[in-house]
Amino acid sequence: MDCINDKFTPIAKILEGKHEGKKVKVRGWVHRERHSAKMAFVVMRDSTGIIQCTLKNEESGAEGAKAGKAASEKKKIFEAATSVYVESSCMLEGIVKKDERAPGGWEIQISNFEIIYKGEPFPIAKDQSTEFLLDTRHLWLRSQKLTKIFKLRHYTMQILREFFDKKEFLSLPPPIITKSACEGGATLFEMDYFGSPAYLTQSGQMYGEVFTTSLENIYVLAPSFRAEPSRTVRHLAEYWHLEPEMAFYNQKMNMDLQEEMLIYLCQNIAKRHPQLLQDVGRNPKDLLKIKGTFERIPYKKAIEKCQSLDLKIEYGQDLGADEEFELTKNLDKPIFIHNHLKAFKAFYMREDESEPGTVLSNDLLAPQGHGEIIGGSERIWDEKELLERMKELNLPLADYQWYVDLRKYGSVPHAGFGLGIERVVKWMLNLEHIRDTIPFPRTINRYYP
Ligand code: ATP
Ligand code: MG
């Protein structure tokens, strides 16, 4: 067999059940292996799935000259199939048979088996510690669980792009290296930029605002970096940030768009990939419930609700993980919290004239306690208002002059939001920890491998 040029059948195709009695070739990696003197069981995997393959040792007993050349061939094949390690790469040929006991209901009865690369015994066995699995992440990524999660992550991004394509939003890349902070100084990664200080971006939003002045409706999709000092199940130091920004949008239109986007995402992922969702532990029916409208609760009301639940939070404080959990743990659908206090929100958020002291902000909280997945707002679009706010907060004008310029020349009302891709995947797949939503999670104590 030739592992590159022969024609191989993807395992998922065989599991569809249209190959019964037919001869197929499969190539991939050994997922599991066990054997006795009489029988070899090799579960093979490729990128599409796993399938059980079996081989009888017909030569057990029939040794010697009378067995002849064909027998020695068969012996060689049995020896190859029983000498592999988990994760050895192999190719095989055989007849597809129905077998209720096999995973997926089908098995291949091997007639030919060749090792492509045997390698060494695989270091990951059952019941390894989380730390060990993170140390060997580059190998653990071959596991069925992570393979399925990353397929779903891919489909999530695909559906989100599709949504914005249909709405004719264009996307442009923001810079990753910046001179100024966007979301405040505490979580900045500083670097040396040819002798001057610079930072890894915390958000591409401000650059997204630039693009609205030429393209109107846009999104930026890029990594954001935050030196998050605490260990939580929903913070990464490096995450993927989807940030749409729209000219001539107000707060209501902004929330309407977020709602429509999440409904489109949940409905489509549930309809297109129900089995994958089921396999990773999310009932697709939960996601089909995400439709209609999401409740919109002013910050003030949210605080009252928290207090009625005996949470120790005062008016004036931002909601934290505990409050977000309690507010959403029994919900089926996300909720918006809007009109937060100007005092603890970012400087660029526009004040609500009808409710001074609050801004036209919105956070979107996922149901079942998964917490914040989106933060959005109307942006200040008046130059004087922006300068006053920056002065109040002592922001260095020199670093932000370009941002102020956007207001100086032909400014228009605009709004936008930032969605954390990993937060959305964590919620949609019902995962306990955000680190499983990104192949190589970066956290306070880990940036290897
Ligand atoms: P939190 O209060 O949960 O830390 P935040 O208010 O700092 O969130 P924003 O600055 O509004 O978040 O960022 C927009 C979105 O980016 C969030 O709604 C979230 O989905 C995502 N996000 C923010 N910080 C992180 C992080 N450290 N890891 C993963 N995603 C993040
Ligand atoms: Mg944060």
Side-chain angles (χ1 to χ4, degrees), residues 3-67:
C3 73
I4 294 174
N5 294 309
D6 283 5
K7 196 175 166 342
F8 293 89
T9 309
I11 289 172
K13 284 267 164 243
I14 301 171
L15 296 175
E16 283 171 13
K18 290 178 201 140
H19 288 77
E20 186 164 14
K22 291 196 182 126
K23 195 167 216 182
V24 293
K25 280 186 188 169
V26 165
R27 70 182 160 192
W29 295 261
V30 173
H31 182 60
R32 272 196 293 271
E33 190 278 330
R34 70 189 163 85
H35 64 270
S36 64
K38 286 191 184 134
M39 197 73 186
F41 291 89
V42 181
V43 178
M44 286 289 289
R45 82 170 166 82
D46 64 11
S47 62
T48 71
I50 58 169
I51 193 163
Q52 176 172 294
C53 309
T54 57
L55 179 61
K56 272 205 191 97
N57 186 12
E58 288 163 7
E59 298 320 301
S60 51
E63 287 288 330
K66 74 173 179 185

XYZ file of all heavy atoms in Angstrom, residues 3-67:
505
model
N 0.709 5.096 1.227
C -0.146 5.927 2.096
C -0.482 7.284 1.482
O -1.396 7.969 1.933
C 0.487 6.096 3.481
S 1.896 7.192 3.517
N 0.263 7.673 0.458
C -0.042 8.967 -0.164
C -0.914 8.787 -1.403
O -1.927 9.469 -1.554
C 1.256 9.721 -0.531
C 1.996 10.097 0.758
C 0.954 10.984 -1.355
C 3.351 10.701 0.559
N -0.537 7.849 -2.256
C -1.186 7.799 -3.583
C -2.363 6.842 -3.714
O -3.156 6.982 -4.639
C -0.140 7.470 -4.646
C 0.861 8.597 -4.775
O 0.477 9.755 -4.922
N 2.139 8.278 -4.662
N -2.516 5.880 -2.797
C -3.670 4.978 -2.905
C -4.958 5.739 -2.591
O -4.923 6.823 -2.007
C -3.531 3.810 -1.916
C -2.530 2.776 -2.420
O -1.902 3.032 -3.467
O -2.392 1.726 -1.770
N -6.085 5.132 -2.936
C -7.362 5.776 -2.629
C -7.881 5.240 -1.288
O -8.139 4.033 -1.170
C -8.356 5.481 -3.749
C -9.554 6.404 -3.715
C -10.457 6.168 -4.909
C -11.823 6.800 -4.802
N -12.293 7.208 -3.512
N -8.014 6.098 -0.311
C -8.487 5.695 1.014
C -9.894 6.254 1.261
O -10.244 7.307 0.736
C -7.529 6.206 2.095
C -6.180 5.540 2.039
C -5.158 6.059 1.240
C -5.935 4.387 2.767
C -3.920 5.442 1.177
C -4.697 3.763 2.702
C -3.683 4.293 1.906
N -10.665 5.531 2.065
C -12.031 5.983 2.380
C -12.037 6.614 3.770
O -11.566 5.987 4.717
C -13.008 4.792 2.364
O -12.830 4.087 1.134
C -14.446 5.254 2.467
N -12.573 7.824 3.897
C -12.655 8.422 5.246
C -13.547 7.557 6.148
O -14.569 7.044 5.695
C -13.303 9.785 5.000
C -13.136 10.068 3.545
C -13.097 8.727 2.859
N -13.166 7.418 7.403
C -13.894 6.539 8.322
C -15.368 6.957 8.447
O -16.261 6.107 8.444
C -13.178 6.501 9.693
C -11.865 5.718 9.534
C -14.064 5.890 10.778
C -10.939 5.740 10.728
N -15.622 8.249 8.515
C -17.021 8.698 8.653
C -17.879 8.197 7.494
O -19.056 7.896 7.677
C -17.083 10.225 8.739
N -17.293 8.130 6.306
C -18.046 7.633 5.135
C -18.442 6.167 5.363
O -19.560 5.763 5.035
C -17.179 7.730 3.872
C -17.077 9.141 3.342
C -18.149 9.404 2.272
C -18.320 10.877 2.029
N -19.592 11.454 2.336
N -17.511 5.382 5.900
C -17.806 3.963 6.137
C -18.925 3.829 7.169
O -19.820 3.004 7.028
C -16.531 3.229 6.610
C -15.431 3.362 5.541
C -16.817 1.759 6.929
C -14.082 2.866 5.977
N -18.880 4.688 8.190
C -19.891 4.609 9.253
C -21.288 5.015 8.762
O -22.283 4.737 9.415
C -19.476 5.478 10.451
C -18.190 5.031 11.165
C -17.806 6.035 12.245
C -18.330 3.633 11.772
N -21.344 5.675 7.619
C -22.661 6.021 7.057
C -23.420 4.767 6.627
O -24.633 4.809 6.424
C -22.511 6.969 5.856
C -22.206 8.399 6.263
C -21.851 9.297 5.087
O -22.069 8.896 3.918
O -21.334 10.402 5.349
N -22.693 3.645 6.445
C -23.366 2.361 6.220
C -23.573 1.974 4.779
O -24.306 1.034 4.490
N -22.889 2.657 3.856
C -23.116 2.317 2.443
C -22.005 1.438 1.870
O -21.929 1.241 0.664
C -23.235 3.602 1.625
C -24.530 4.351 1.933
C -24.616 5.649 1.155
C -25.588 6.614 1.815
N -25.113 7.986 1.797
N -21.142 0.920 2.743
C -20.007 0.123 2.250
C -20.096 -1.340 2.660
O -19.111 -2.071 2.553
C -18.685 0.716 2.760
C -18.318 2.009 2.097
N -18.914 3.211 2.431
C -17.440 2.304 1.101
C -18.403 4.176 1.686
N -17.507 3.656 0.872
N -21.256 -1.758 3.129
C -21.380 -3.125 3.640
C -20.905 -4.147 2.604
O -21.318 -4.111 1.438
C -22.831 -3.437 4.030
C -22.951 -4.804 4.693
C -24.271 -4.981 5.444
O -25.190 -4.171 5.248
O -24.347 -5.936 6.237
N -20.005 -5.045 3.031
C -19.510 -6.107 2.138
C -18.446 -5.654 1.152
O -17.900 -6.463 0.407
N -18.164 -4.334 1.181
C -17.183 -3.822 0.206
C -15.778 -3.781 0.807
O -15.601 -3.669 2.015
C -17.571 -2.419 -0.246
C -18.819 -2.408 -1.097
C -18.968 -1.095 -1.851
C -20.253 -1.102 -2.654
N -21.082 0.068 -2.360
N -14.790 -3.818 -0.090
C -13.390 -3.713 0.341
C -13.007 -2.236 0.387
O -13.297 -1.485 -0.564
C -12.505 -4.437 -0.662
C -11.114 -4.712 -0.150
C -10.382 -5.692 -1.048
C -9.505 -6.591 -0.202
N -8.732 -7.537 -0.994
N -12.426 -1.804 1.511
C -12.005 -0.396 1.637
C -10.567 -0.339 2.138
O -10.068 -1.293 2.727
C -12.895 0.391 2.642
C -14.316 0.554 2.132
C -12.888 -0.281 4.017
N -9.958 0.823 1.904
C -8.651 1.096 2.504
C -8.807 2.270 3.473
O -9.473 3.258 3.136
C -7.644 1.484 1.425
C -7.066 0.303 0.672
C -5.985 0.786 -0.271
C -5.553 -0.355 -1.169
N -4.699 0.118 -2.267
N -8.184 2.148 4.626
C -8.256 3.194 5.643
C -6.836 3.546 6.069
O -5.986 2.659 6.192
C -9.069 2.687 6.872
C -8.858 3.586 8.076
C -10.561 2.614 6.533
N -6.585 4.832 6.273
C -5.270 5.233 6.806
C -5.492 6.177 7.981
O -6.482 6.910 8.007
C -4.411 5.902 5.740
C -4.915 7.260 5.339
C -4.101 7.920 4.261
N -4.946 8.947 3.659
C -4.684 9.589 2.547
N -3.609 9.333 1.859
N -5.513 10.512 2.095
N -4.572 6.135 8.922
C -4.709 7.024 10.078
C -3.837 6.585 11.225
O -2.687 6.160 11.021
N -4.405 6.667 12.430
C -3.639 6.402 13.638
C -4.362 5.359 14.491
O -5.591 5.262 14.434
C -3.502 7.692 14.453
C -2.699 8.721 13.756
C -1.374 9.005 13.962
C -3.140 9.632 12.738
N -0.969 10.020 13.126
C -2.025 10.421 12.359
C -4.349 9.843 12.081
C -2.097 11.412 11.376
C -4.430 10.831 11.089
C -3.312 11.599 10.756
N -3.593 4.621 15.271
C -4.192 3.618 16.143
C -4.788 4.323 17.354
O -4.080 5.023 18.088
C -3.142 2.584 16.603
C -3.734 1.653 17.655
C -2.613 1.816 15.408
N -6.083 4.141 17.540
C -6.767 4.788 18.663
C -6.703 3.886 19.892
O -6.481 4.347 21.013
C -8.212 5.069 18.249
C -9.024 5.777 19.284
N -8.696 7.019 19.770
C -10.153 5.400 19.934
C -9.598 7.371 20.677
N -10.484 6.414 20.799
N -6.912 2.586 19.657
C -6.810 1.585 20.734
C -6.337 0.290 20.106
O -6.581 0.048 18.924
C -8.185 1.337 21.368
C -8.539 2.270 22.503
C -9.711 1.717 23.329
N -10.946 1.690 22.577
C -11.809 2.685 22.526
N -11.566 3.786 23.193
N -12.925 2.577 21.834
N -5.709 -0.560 20.896
C -5.261 -1.848 20.356
C -5.305 -2.874 21.459
O -4.925 -2.594 22.589
C -3.831 -1.699 19.835
C -3.290 -2.879 19.037
C -2.755 -4.045 19.897
O -2.267 -3.789 21.013
O -2.851 -5.202 19.437
N -5.845 -4.058 21.165
C -5.682 -5.187 22.080
C -5.680 -6.450 21.240
O -6.201 -6.473 20.118
C -6.777 -5.204 23.163
C -8.148 -5.540 22.682
C -9.199 -5.311 23.783
N -10.512 -5.257 23.184
C -11.260 -6.324 22.910
N -10.828 -7.549 23.223
N -12.425 -6.200 22.322
N -5.051 -7.480 21.753
C -5.007 -8.710 20.961
C -4.789 -9.914 21.862
O -4.329 -9.807 23.001
C -3.897 -8.637 19.908
C -2.515 -8.534 20.489
N -1.933 -7.319 20.765
C -1.622 -9.490 20.844
C -0.724 -7.529 21.261
N -0.509 -8.836 21.335
N -5.167 -11.096 21.333
C -4.830 -12.368 21.957
C -4.020 -13.127 20.910
O -3.744 -12.596 19.836
C -6.110 -13.128 22.311
O -6.805 -13.431 21.114
N -3.694 -14.372 21.199
C -2.936 -15.146 20.220
C -3.767 -15.390 18.963
O -3.241 -15.572 17.876
C -2.517 -16.487 20.837
N -5.091 -15.337 19.123
C -5.974 -15.683 18.005
C -6.559 -14.487 17.264
O -7.029 -14.600 16.149
C -7.145 -16.533 18.541
C -6.733 -17.940 18.887
C -7.955 -18.786 19.141
C -7.529 -20.168 19.588
N -8.279 -20.643 20.736
N -6.593 -13.331 17.946
C -7.393 -12.234 17.407
C -6.732 -10.878 17.689
O -6.222 -10.658 18.785
C -8.749 -12.299 18.147
C -9.855 -11.561 17.523
S -10.413 -12.410 16.043
C -11.569 -11.190 15.467
N -6.768 -9.995 16.706
C -6.287 -8.617 16.912
C -7.456 -7.643 16.740
O -8.237 -7.772 15.799
C -5.199 -8.287 15.896
N -7.582 -6.720 17.686
C -8.553 -5.622 17.573
C -7.775 -4.320 17.487
O -7.053 -3.980 18.431
C -9.442 -5.536 18.823
C -10.400 -6.676 18.972
C -10.021 -7.830 19.656
C -11.677 -6.593 18.431
C -10.909 -8.883 19.805
C -12.570 -7.645 18.585
C -12.190 -8.796 19.268
N -7.919 -3.607 16.389
C -7.266 -2.303 16.263
C -8.364 -1.282 15.977
O -9.063 -1.403 14.968
C -6.252 -2.283 15.104
C -5.575 -0.926 15.020
C -5.213 -3.385 15.276
N -8.556 -0.323 16.890
C -9.492 0.763 16.585
C -8.679 1.850 15.898
O -7.720 2.361 16.467
C -10.197 1.288 17.855
C -11.118 2.453 17.503
C -10.978 0.175 18.520
N -9.056 2.157 14.663
C -8.318 3.161 13.886
C -9.059 4.493 13.963
O -10.286 4.529 14.045
C -8.251 2.735 12.415
C -7.294 1.595 12.145
S -5.571 2.117 12.311
C -5.384 3.145 10.861
N -8.295 5.576 13.878
C -8.959 6.885 13.782
C -8.344 7.672 12.640
O -7.146 7.532 12.342
C -8.850 7.658 15.097
C -7.563 8.372 15.285
C -7.527 9.333 16.459
N -6.133 9.689 16.695
C -5.487 10.618 16.008
N -6.102 11.305 15.072
N -4.210 10.865 16.248
N -9.166 8.471 11.996
C -8.646 9.524 11.119
C -9.360 10.803 11.543
O -10.022 10.822 12.601
C -8.839 9.152 9.629
C -10.297 9.050 9.221
O -11.179 9.454 10.005
O -10.553 8.565 8.097
N -9.248 11.852 10.749
C -9.832 13.125 11.202
C -11.352 13.059 11.262
O -11.978 13.904 11.884
C -9.414 14.254 10.263
O -9.908 13.991 8.961
N -11.939 12.033 10.660
C -13.409 12.011 10.576
C -14.077 11.115 11.612
O -15.279 11.212 11.812
C -13.871 11.558 9.169
O -13.586 10.159 9.003
C -13.177 12.345 8.072
N -13.338 10.197 12.218
C -13.979 9.319 13.203
C -13.115 8.128 13.570
O -11.924 8.073 13.222
N -13.719 7.176 14.300
C -12.994 5.959 14.694
C -13.780 4.732 14.241
O -15.004 4.755 14.177
C -12.735 5.882 16.221
C -14.046 5.931 17.014
C -11.807 6.972 16.691
C -13.875 5.594 18.486
N -13.048 3.656 13.947
C -13.709 2.411 13.546
C -12.896 1.205 14.030
O -11.660 1.230 14.015
C -13.921 2.353 12.007
C -14.880 1.209 11.648
C -12.591 2.232 11.255
C -15.459 1.340 10.241
N -13.623 0.183 14.455
C -12.955 -1.041 14.932
C -12.544 -1.903 13.735
O -13.313 -2.083 12.795
C -13.932 -1.814 15.809
C -13.399 -3.144 16.287
C -14.342 -3.765 17.296
O -14.536 -3.250 18.390
N -14.963 -4.865 16.919
N -11.331 -2.450 13.790
C -10.834 -3.318 12.725
C -10.335 -4.599 13.391
O -9.684 -4.548 14.432
C -9.689 -2.655 11.967
S -10.089 -0.985 11.427
N -10.676 -5.750 12.809
C -10.310 -7.011 13.453
C -9.559 -7.906 12.483
O -9.704 -7.803 11.259
C -11.562 -7.776 13.932
O -12.419 -7.986 12.810
C -12.302 -7.009 15.000
N -8.763 -8.780 13.065
C -7.993 -9.724 12.255
C -7.846 -11.021 13.031
O -7.375 -11.030 14.172
C -6.609 -9.120 11.948
C -5.654 -9.969 11.123
C -6.228 -10.273 9.750
C -4.321 -9.238 10.960
N -8.248 -12.140 12.380
C -8.080 -13.465 12.998
C -6.690 -13.971 12.674
O -6.210 -13.803 11.561
C -9.099 -14.435 12.399
C -10.424 -14.464 13.093
C -11.112 -15.819 12.851
C -12.544 -15.770 13.306
N -13.487 -15.492 12.224
N -6.082 -14.628 13.647
C -4.784 -15.251 13.384
C -5.026 -16.672 12.893
O -4.989 -17.622 13.657
C -3.931 -15.238 14.652
C -2.527 -15.751 14.379
O -2.138 -15.910 13.228
N -1.781 -15.991 15.451
N -5.314 -16.773 11.572
C -5.652 -18.086 11.018
C -4.485 -19.037 11.072
O -4.641 -20.254 11.021
C -6.117 -17.937 9.560
C -7.486 -17.310 9.464
C -7.777 -16.781 8.077
O -6.957 -17.020 7.167
O -8.808 -16.137 7.919
N -3.287 -18.479 11.170
C -2.092 -19.335 11.129
C -1.754 -19.946 12.476
O -0.836 -20.745 12.572
C -0.895 -18.528 10.625
C -1.092 -18.019 9.209
C -1.753 -19.039 8.303
O -1.173 -20.146 8.154
O -2.838 -18.765 7.763
N -2.500 -19.535 13.527
C -2.167 -20.131 14.826
C -2.444 -21.627 14.739
O -3.553 -22.061 14.538
C -2.972 -19.488 15.957
O -4.334 -19.492 15.629
N -1.384 -22.367 14.827
C -1.532 -23.814 14.676
C -1.041 -24.311 13.325
O -0.409 -25.350 13.242
N -1.319 -23.579 12.249
C -0.976 -24.068 10.916
C 0.434 -23.632 10.502
O 0.637 -22.985 9.488
C -1.998 -23.567 9.908
N 1.386 -23.933 11.309
C 2.776 -23.553 11.043
C 3.386 -24.438 9.958
O 2.788 -25.426 9.536
C 3.617 -23.722 12.321
C 3.365 -22.669 13.378
C 3.937 -21.309 13.007
O 4.952 -21.278 12.292
O 3.346 -20.282 13.389
N 4.562 -24.035 9.524
C 5.403 -24.952 8.762
C 5.245 -24.895 7.263
O 4.588 -24.020 6.721
N 5.855 -25.847 6.599
C 5.989 -25.848 5.146
C 4.650 -25.880 4.417
O 4.453 -25.154 3.449
C 6.828 -27.050 4.705
N 3.680 -26.662 4.940
C 2.416 -26.790 4.218
C 1.612 -25.480 4.145
O 0.786 -25.298 3.259
C 1.570 -27.930 4.794
C 0.928 -27.616 6.119
C -0.022 -28.739 6.505
C -0.611 -28.467 7.777
N -1.279 -28.750 8.689
N 1.911 -24.587 5.089
C 1.213 -23.297 5.075
C 1.624 -22.456 3.862
O 0.834 -21.697 3.321
C 1.482 -22.538 6.370
